[in-house]
């Protein structure tokens, strides 16, 4: 059993914590919270052990949320830490992980240099085997890499161009916007996503553009991939249909928008309406000679969850890529 601690129990941390509990080979030993908010209360009610920084002990005491100890005490007893703290905070914690000689998984909000390797399970699991520090790339980059590496099984990928429509905020982020504008982010090309893809596929010719849109549900990508050789549309479909973590949705059933995808997640009674799969609109798939164009939606809050679970196994050298992906998919009920 791998003993896992989760540092930072917000949007990503709480999902990864729940996913760890479902793994047959992992044990969630506790989570770190800094403030005794509703997320801390929920964790306590679920029976999850809460650890806090020294300076937060009094606040938790006053709020009546019991704690199990301090951050250092938790990390000491872990085999590995999943760091899901806000952008840049993970890098500050790295010295503690190093000092206590613990492996750690960082998130995409950290700079690539924080880790030994940036990670996407379908692209470079083997490269991450036994690495002490792994960085799971951001939600947008995870979707780009999952799709690009899958298309790499149809033919050699020569060039990628992508436009990313980013959700403005997560549903719980009440103070973020815009509420009535589209904002190129940045208004220069390429956006940082291309560089992030290159942190995993080093020499890929990729350029990306990004715009923030007033929605909280999902991102949307418009992807254009050029392969070395001519390909057939049926081969693109066949590979996509047979790849885990990618789902094709058809307009035949009136599924044409992110709101409808989230409604399906609700109807399926998925926890928190999560959709960790890349949701490709199958009618958008266009193939001409060696060029593929397609559109897909990305659920920012959950797409990196299976990658975090695989990154834990890779770091601990626990399983092969195929085994880990299979266990993660079946334990989390992931389609594709
Ligand atoms: P979040 O704000 O929802 O959660 C972060 C949690 O860390 C909060 O509970 C906060 O209280 C806690 N925290 C703050 N300072 C801390 C400290 N010093 N020690 C311990 N905990 C602390 O953030 P998030 O959206 O879950 O993002 C976490 C990471 O995941 C970031 O790197 C982000 O870029 C990345 N990520 C986010 C998304 C997304 O859409 N939300 C998607 C993919 C990756």
């Amino acid at each position: 059993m791998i003993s896992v601690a989760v540092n930072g129990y917000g949007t990503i941390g709480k999902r990864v914590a729940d996913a760890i509990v479902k793994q047959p080979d992992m044990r969630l030993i506790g989570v770190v919270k800094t403030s005794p908010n509703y997320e801390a209360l929920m964790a306590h009610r679920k029976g999850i052990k809460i650890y806090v920084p020294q300076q937060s002990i009094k606040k938790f005491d006053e709020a009546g949320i019991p704690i199990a100890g301090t951050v250092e005490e938790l990390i000491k007893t872990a085999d590995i830490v999943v760091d899901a703290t806000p952008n840049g905070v993970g890098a500050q914690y790295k010295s503690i992980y190093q000092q206590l000689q613990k492996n750690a998984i960082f998130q995409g909000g950290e700079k690539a240099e924080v880790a030994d390797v940036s990670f996407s399970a379908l692209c470079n699991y083997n490269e991450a085997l036994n690495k002490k520090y792994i960085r799971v790339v951001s939600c947008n980059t995870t979707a780009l890499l999952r799709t690009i590496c899958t298309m790499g099984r149809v033919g050699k990928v020569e060039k990628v161009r992508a436009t990313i429509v980013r959700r403005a905020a997560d549903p719980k982020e009440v103070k973020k916007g815009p509420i009535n504008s589209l904002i190129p982010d940045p208004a220069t090309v390429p956006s940082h996503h291309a560089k992030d893809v290159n942190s995993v596929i080093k020499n890929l010719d990729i350029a990306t553009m990004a715009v923030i849109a007033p929605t909280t549900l999902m991102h949307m990508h418009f992807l254009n991939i050029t392969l070395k050789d001519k390909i057939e549309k049926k081969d693109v479909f066949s590979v996509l249909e047979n790849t885990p973590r990618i789902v094709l949705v058809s307009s035949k059933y009136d599924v044409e928008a992110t709101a409808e995808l989230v409604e399906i997640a609700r109807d399926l009674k998925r926890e928190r309406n999560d959709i960790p799969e890349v949701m490709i609109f199958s009618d958008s798939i266009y193939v001409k000679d060696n060029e593929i164009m397609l559109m897909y939606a990305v659920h920012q809050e959950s797409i990196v969850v299976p990658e975090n679970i695989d990154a834990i196994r890779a770091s601990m050298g626990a399983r092969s890529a195929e085994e880990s992906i299979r266990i993660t998919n079946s334990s989390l009920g992931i389609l594709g």
Side-chain angles (χ1 to χ4, degrees):
M1 280 298 232
I2 307 170
S3 294
V4 192
V6 173
N7 186 9
Y9 190 75
T11 301
I12 301 300
K14 64 186 171 186
R15 287 173 167 81
V16 173
D18 284 353
I20 289 164
V21 171
K22 291 184 181 145
Q23 303 311 306
D25 53 350
M26 293 180 199
R27 197 162 62 94
L28 178 70
I29 58 166
V31 303
V32 175
K33 275 296 300 171
T34 45
S35 54
N37 67 356
Y38 63 93
E39 284 170 326
L41 184 63
M42 294 296 122
H44 166 61
R45 289 191 177 162
K46 281 168 108 165
I48 294 173
K49 287 191 179 153
I50 300 173
Y51 292 79
V52 304
Q54 197 73 39
Q55 65 273 21
S56 298
I57 294 176
K58 194 161 167 270
K59 279 193 288 182
F60 276 77
D61 222 27
E62 284 164 4
I65 300 178
I67 60 162
T70 62
V71 181
E72 284 76 12
E73 284 168 342
L74 173 65
I75 295 171
K76 268 184 200 155
T77 54
D79 294 321
I80 185 164
V81 182
V82 174
D83 187 300
T85 57
N87 298 356
V89 177
Q92 294 167 23
Y93 269 108
K94 188 175 174 186
S95 57
I96 299 178
Y97 307 145
Q98 283 174 315
Q99 216 179 319
L100 299 174
Q101 297 180 15
K102 301 296 175 181
N103 293 23
I105 309 299
F106 295 96
Q107 307 305 312
E110 302 302 323
K111 293 203 170 87
E113 298 73 51
V114 79
D116 304 321
V117 64
S118 288
F119 180 78
S120 161
L122 298 192
C123 295
N124 70 337
Y125 185 99
N126 289 341
E127 205 189 325
L129 271 172
N130 299 305
K131 291 281 188 321
K132 209 157 181 65
Y133 303 113
I134 298 176
R135 169 181 167 265
V136 172
V137 291
S138 75
C139 44
N140 280 305
T141 310
T142 294
L144 284 166
L145 282 165
R146 206 182 271 176
T147 313
I148 295 166
C149 286
T150 300
M151 287 299 94
R153 289 177 26 229
V154 180
K156 186 172 170 9
V157 175
E158 290 233 302
K159 190 169 85 173
V160 176
R161 300 290 180 257
T163 301
I164 297 164
V165 179
R166 301 174 56 189
R167 61 88 182 96
D170 288 339
K172 74 172 184 184
E173 292 176 314
V174 293
K175 290 184 185 161
K176 273 178 96 175
I179 58 168
N180 190 23
S181 186
L182 294 167
I183 310 174
D185 183 45
T188 52
V189 178
S191 66
H192 72 273
H193 306 93
K195 189 175 164 208
D196 211 22
V197 166
N198 284 141
S199 71
V200 173
I201 316 177
K202 303 283 182 283
N203 298 318
L204 178 68
D205 175 357
I206 177 167
T208 52
M209 295 191 282
V211 59
I212 303 180
T215 178
T216 63
L217 298 177
M218 300 178 87
H219 305 297
M220 181 95 99
H221 291 184
F222 300 80
L223 193 66
N224 185 340
I225 298 183
T226 308
L227 298 181
K228 185 165 179 292
D229 300 310
K230 213 170 155 171
I231 26 105
E232 300 285 333
K233 193 169 181 172
K234 67 173 173 35
D235 296 329
V236 173
F237 266 89
S238 154
V239 169
L240 290 173
E241 277 161 359
N242 292 300
T243 303
R245 301 184 189 176
I246 289 182
V247 170
L248 295 176
V249 289
S250 166
S251 63
K252 187 161 72 174
Y253 302 109
D254 291 341
V255 188
E256 293 169 329
T258 54
E260 289 157 355
L261 293 173
V262 173
E263 187 66 9
I264 293 171
R266 287 197 182 107
D267 289 345
L268 288 171
K269 295 191 166 57
R270 282 203 162 177
E271 273 179 46
R272 301 188 175 95
N273 307 329
D274 282 350
I275 310 171
E277 301 89 352
V278 169
M279 304 301 280
I280 298 182
F281 293 99
S282 63
D283 301 287
S284 76
I285 299 172
Y286 170 87
V287 178
K288 184 165 187 290
D289 300 330
N290 59 341
E291 199 182 352
I292 307 164
M293 293 171 82
L294 51 85
M295 301 175 201
Y296 57 82
V298 182
H299 187 238
Q300 75 280 357
E301 297 174 284
S302 62
I303 189 166
V304 298
V305 173
E307 311 293 318
N308 270 276
I309 298 298
D310 291 332
I312 293 169
R313 289 201 188 91
S315 179
M316 299 308 294
R319 304 274 180 160
S320 68
E322 293 70 27
E323 280 178 316
S324 179
I325 291 169
R326 185 178 45 74
I327 298 168
T328 306
N329 290 350
S330 69
S331 60
L332 301 182
I334 291 176
L335 303 172

